Amino acid sequence: MQKARIVAQDHHFYTAELADGTRLDARVSGAYSYRVVEASDYPCVGDYVLIDAAPDQDTSALVYIHETLPRTAILQRRRPGDRDESQVIAAHVDVALLVFGMDGGRAFTEGLLSRLVTTVRAGNVRPVVVLNKADLAAPEHRDGILEIARAAVPEHSVCVVSARTGAGIPELRKQWKAGETICLLGISGVGKSSLLNALAGEALAREGAVRNDYKGRHTTTFRRLFSLPDGTAVIDLPGMRELHLWSESEAVDDSFEDVLAIASGCRFRNCTHEHEPGCAVQRAIESGELQAERFEQYQKLSAEAAFIEQRVNRFAREAQDRQSKPR
Ligand SMILES: Nc1nc2c(ncn2[C@@H]2O[C@H](COP(=O)(O)OP(=O)(O)OP(=O)(O)O)[C@@H](O)[C@H]2O)c(=O)[nH]1
Ligand SMILES: [Zn+2]
């Protein structure tokens, strides 16, 4: 038996890396799957496992995983539709970079920040708030965001950076030690890839070739870990949105606090704001307090969110069914 780290995972197909960098295709042994009680008992990316010694270190051989070593820190999410069980996405993650944009709009919301902080802390992962695109921040906006961020995490865990100009990147790099494992969380467009490139310098451009090897994989299930030149391990979660660490509807609600505040005044709790008597939303639109376009945008986005959540719930259930089938 030898110790290895799971560096790639697609469903139950794993790549395990030995201390010397040798990579081996791996699956769990029959005895391992016999012991599995719930989905999180299976290895996930970042896990340390015990594997067979490969015959003569033949890297084309399939090796078996016999045991997953105890996890100290995990990135997890609630399984949609199931309030009690959470799903482990990655293990042994030291730091989660919670990435936001300072360029306005939905790039920063207090609600998402607090949910992400809660989620990563629950898994014993250290949150670092990264406020990116400092080069685009209006001064008033910047101060407001900073104040909120410093209330959510200790002040020294807030980094103002620009992936574009490189400002703040050296300070950001000091948030973790060489050899630690990080991951980046944030909605699309806040600059996660740009930050990785800034942290990696030239090296990640070469990494592009590696990425291409994996093209065609099912991006919502494929997870991997790669190393920056300084030895930092980065957990790559393609299709971050699809992982739904936060719920879609909650994310929409975050951006429409004004609409929700008005809707709380409707006479009926399940008011659709279309034709019910005593509808505070319709009243606010008539009086000009709420713009009709803003309300329409809210309705459109919440309908989309409901649709996405339905689909994700079904996907999670199907995955669960597959995993719990005996071999
Ligand atoms: N001005 C400015 N633009 C930036 C900065 N960081 C990223 N961008 C730009 O923002 C856009 C989105 O950046 P990405 O790095 O692709 O964002 P992402 O979070 O990886 O997005 P997804 O891959 O969709 O999750 C790109 O056009 C970047 O060039 C920054 O610090 N300043
Ligand atoms: Zn109403």
Side-chain angles (χ1 to χ4, degrees):
M1 295 275 208
Q2 49 191 344
K3 189 174 157 183
R5 191 167 199 196
I6 302 296
V7 294
Q9 172 193 9
D10 193 355
H11 288 295
H12 293 313
F13 298 96
Y14 298 98
T15 305
E17 189 179 87
L18 301 176
D20 67 3
T22 308
R23 293 182 162 215
L24 301 159
D25 288 330
R27 303 206 61 175
V28 297
S29 69
Y32 189 119
S33 41
Y34 189 74
R35 287 196 310 267
V36 165
V37 176
E38 53 183 30
S40 62
D41 293 336
Y42 281 106
C44 65
V45 68
D47 260 326
Y48 291 101
V49 295
L50 295 181
I51 59 171
D52 287 330
D56 303 326
Q57 300 296 19
D58 172 7
T59 54
S60 64
L62 180 70
V63 296
Y64 286 99
I65 300 168
H66 295 280
E67 197 178 329
T68 295
L69 299 178
R71 294 166 177 156
T72 49
I74 54 171
L75 195 61
Q76 61 187 345
R77 67 163 178 150
R78 284 261 174 75
R79 176 173 290 123
D82 183 343
R83 292 281 136 193
D84 298 328
E85 209 182 340
S86 62
Q87 198 174 13
V88 181
I89 295 165
H92 301 283
V93 182
D94 298 292
V95 169
L97 304 183
L98 313 182
V99 186
F100 295 89
M102 298 186 96
D103 51 337
R106 293 187 64 195
F108 179 90
T109 58
E110 186 171 1
L112 178 57
L113 171 63
S114 62
R115 272 201 309 284
L116 285 178
V117 168
T118 308
T119 303
V120 305
R121 279 200 178 134
N124 203 23
V125 176
R126 206 157 76 231
V128 169
V129 178
V130 182
L131 303 172
N132 188 33
K133 306 199 188 184
D135 55 306
L136 298 179
E140 339 66 80
H141 193 50
R142 176 193 164 104
D143 292 346
I145 289 178
L146 263 175
E147 195 179 323
I148 294 169
R150 286 174 179 158
V153 296
E155 192 165 331
H156 61 83
S157 301
V158 178
C159 291
V160 176
V161 304
S162 168
R164 167 117 349 138
T165 67
I169 300 295
E171 291 76 14
L172 172 61
R173 178 57 194 83
K174 289 187 193 133
Q175 293 284 337
W176 62 93
K177 295 191 278 289
E180 284 196 313
T181 300
I182 66 167
C183 70
L184 287 82
L185 303 176
I187 63 170
S188 182
V190 290
K192 298 181 296 295
S193 313
S194 310
L195 279 169
L196 270 181
N197 282 317
L199 286 166
E202 283 300 293
L204 216 65
R206 273 178 275 130
E207 189 74 26
V210 177
R211 278 176 183 244
N212 287 337
D213 291 348
Y214 292 121
K215 274 226 175 96
R217 296 264 202 157
H218 197 283
T219 53
T220 56
T221 57
F222 179 60
R223 290 148 200 182
R224 68 174 186 136
L225 181 156
F226 60 86
S227 297
L228 296 182
D230 65 1
T232 303
V234 180
I235 302 231
D236 192 15
L237 304 164
M240 194 56 239
R241 285 297 270 171
E242 278 69 45
L243 286 172
H244 294 266
L245 282 176
W246 57 91
S247 105
E248 285 290 329
S249 321
E250 281 175 311
V252 172
D253 287 354
D254 281 344
S255 311
F256 290 91
E257 274 154 17
D258 53 333
V259 178
L260 292 174
I262 292 170
S264 68
C266 293
R267 185 183 306 162
F268 300 108
R269 192 184 293 176
N270 57 354
C271 184
T272 62
H273 319 304
E274 275 161 16
H275 40 64
E276 288 87 345
C279 175
V281 171
Q282 286 303 333
R283 206 161 51 227
I285 291 173
E286 276 156 32
S287 74
E289 187 197 340
L290 175 65
Q291 284 190 318
E293 299 78 52
R294 177 141 178 89
F295 176 61
E296 278 157 23
Q297 199 192 6
Y298 168 73
Q299 279 194 306
K300 181 167 154 272
L301 289 177
S302 3
E304 268 174 30
F307 174 74
I308 291 171
E309 276 172 7
Q310 226 174 2
R311 214 182 44 195
V312 170
N313 285 348
R314 199 184 54 217
F315 176 75
R317 258 198 316 275
E318 285 167 2
Q320 170 69 13
D321 290 348
R322 270 197 303 278
Q323 289 196 331
S324 48
K325 278 213 188 82
R327 280 154 198 262

